[in-house]
Amino acid sequence: MAKSITHEFVKGLWEEVPPFRLVLGLCPVLGVTTKMQFGIGMGLATTFVLVCANILVSVLRKVIPAKVRIACFIVIIATFVTLVELLMQAFAYPLFLQLGIFIPLIVVNCVVLGRAEAFASKNGLLPSIADGLGIGIGFTISLAALGALREILGAGTLTLWEGIELVNLVNIFPGFQPFQFMIQAPGAFVCLGLMLCFMNLAGSK
Amino acid sequence: MGEMIKMFVVLTILSSLSGGVLAYVKENTQGRIEDAVLQLVKGPAIKAIFQDAANDPVADRFNLEDGDRKLDIFVAKIDGKQMIAFETFGKGYGGDIGLVVGVNVAEDNIFGVGVTTHSETAGLGSKAKDDPSFAAQFAGADIKAPVKVTADGGSINALSGATITSRAVTSAATEAGEVYERLRPQIIEELKSFN
């Protein structure tokens, strides 16, 4: 474990950013990014689960028997996901309505299980926290970027949070016609493909 | 053998801890969640239907058993007449669509409707909630007759590009009529205490 904690954190932001580099956890990536705010909300919820699960898995890594480790990881992850679901319902209900089924589905998001299995179960507490935070924030930024691209093209707006609209093209250019294809499912694939393409181009230099 | 016991013990302890924590959190958030649902989901739709109500229709409510479902019924008073509203669901394009149906009890017709929850396509099916002229078509319809879109021989103009959504809303309104008919005697009994 010669690599520094900073490295574990930073790698999640570019080198191993989940949707684009690992191409993992695409279900919520494609499903919730119709608006930037949903991408941010989903990203933050996933980050919370990721960090908490990493902490527990790392602390318990010597206690958990190897043969039932996956079952233990799932119990830990599912607990935090249910926690997020309840808290989000209680304190951010409109967001919960929009994210809907994708919140409970964080349980089966392979990014979370993947980090528990591949990283936290083999590393100490601090690197695991750094890893969870880095991957989580990378995931949040990716979702927000994809959401922003789709929202601005598909609806002409850019929503940072419930009720906080940064840009509204319809107001700026009265003749603006939103490209609705972008906020429907096929638009998600097209945008994701384009972003992957640009990231590969930028990374290949 | 030792390993077997360890696996058993670790999994059992983890699961019980998880259950305990979740039960505690659920216990403590339940009230807030119910409030949030009433205020943010049904609340706006109910207030939009009963804009001129003399009371607070979200606060004045009672509940009735309908089969195995507990139904919240909201009471509004407009010009001295009692209205009720409750929520029913229809199967939409992206999942269930919740519809609050306001009923004028004295005249047995629909006073107004409003979509609460939906997961329809933004810009198309979502107009069922965002475009007030769609919901306005339901006002005055006979609560006892099925509500249908024009393509099915009814009087509701479907949203263009969102026929499935429109049908889901009409079927929710029709279901509301059936529920209302089933529960009418009980509703009238309960309403006396709100006079």
Side-chain angles (χ1 to χ4, degrees), chain B residues 16-153:
Chain B
S16 337
L17 278 181
S18 152
V21 169
L22 289 180
Y24 176 77
V25 174
K26 189 170 172 63
E27 190 75 15
N28 283 290
T29 50
Q30 201 150 32
R32 271 197 86 100
I33 294 175
E34 275 166 19
D35 278 359
V37 172
L38 281 177
Q39 289 301 330
L40 293 161
V41 183
K42 295 183 191 170
I46 292 165
K47 284 189 184 127
I49 296 172
F50 299 129
Q51 272 167 5
D52 310 320
N55 61 336
D56 178 6
V58 183
D60 290 342
R61 59 176 192 269
F62 59 92
N63 53 56
L64 289 177
E65 304 274 336
D66 177 37
D68 49 7
R69 196 163 90 101
K70 201 184 92 187
L71 198 66
D72 279 312
I73 298 179
F74 303 88
V75 182
K77 225 184 262 175
I78 298 175
D79 297 337
K81 277 184 237 159
Q82 281 184 324
M83 313 272 177
I84 57 153
F86 54 93
E87 191 181 28
T88 51
F89 295 90
K91 212 135 208 72
Y93 183 68
D96 279 347
I97 299 178
L99 186 76
V100 167
V101 181
V103 183
N104 184 335
V105 180
E107 292 166 23
D108 281 346
N109 61 17
I110 295 180
F111 186 75
V113 301
V115 171
T116 52
T117 53
H118 71 86
S119 31
E120 303 305 288
T121 317
L124 294 172
S126 68
K127 281 192 186 150
K129 181 172 186 168
D130 304 332
D131 184 352
S133 65
F134 177 69
Q137 298 181 75
F138 289 80
D142 182 3
I143 186 76
K144 285 173 178 160
V147 184
K148 285 177 179 169
V149 293
T150 44
D152 299 335

Side-chain angles (χ1 to χ4, degrees), chain A residues 111-195:
Chain A
V111 172
V112 183
L113 185 60
R115 293 331 287 176
E117 163 75 5
F119 196 91
S121 65
K122 300 187 182 86
N123 289 282
L125 183 60
L126 283 180
S128 296
I129 296 176
D131 175 78
L133 262 183
I135 297 275
I137 292 172
F139 190 70
T140 309
I141 295 174
S142 315
L143 256 67
L146 195 58
L149 182 65
R150 289 179 67 194
E151 192 186 347
I152 197 90
L153 292 174
T157 57
L158 212 51
T159 332
L160 186 64
W161 202 249
E162 191 67 36
I164 309 174
E165 233 173 44
L166 296 180
V167 183
N168 191 333
L169 288 184
V170 187
N171 290 348
I172 302 172
F173 310 107
F176 178 80
Q177 281 293 326
F179 185 23
Q180 272 185 1
F181 169 75
M182 281 303 178
I183 47 174
Q184 287 164 30
F189 283 98
V190 172
C191 285
L192 181 71
L194 288 174
M195 286 182 74

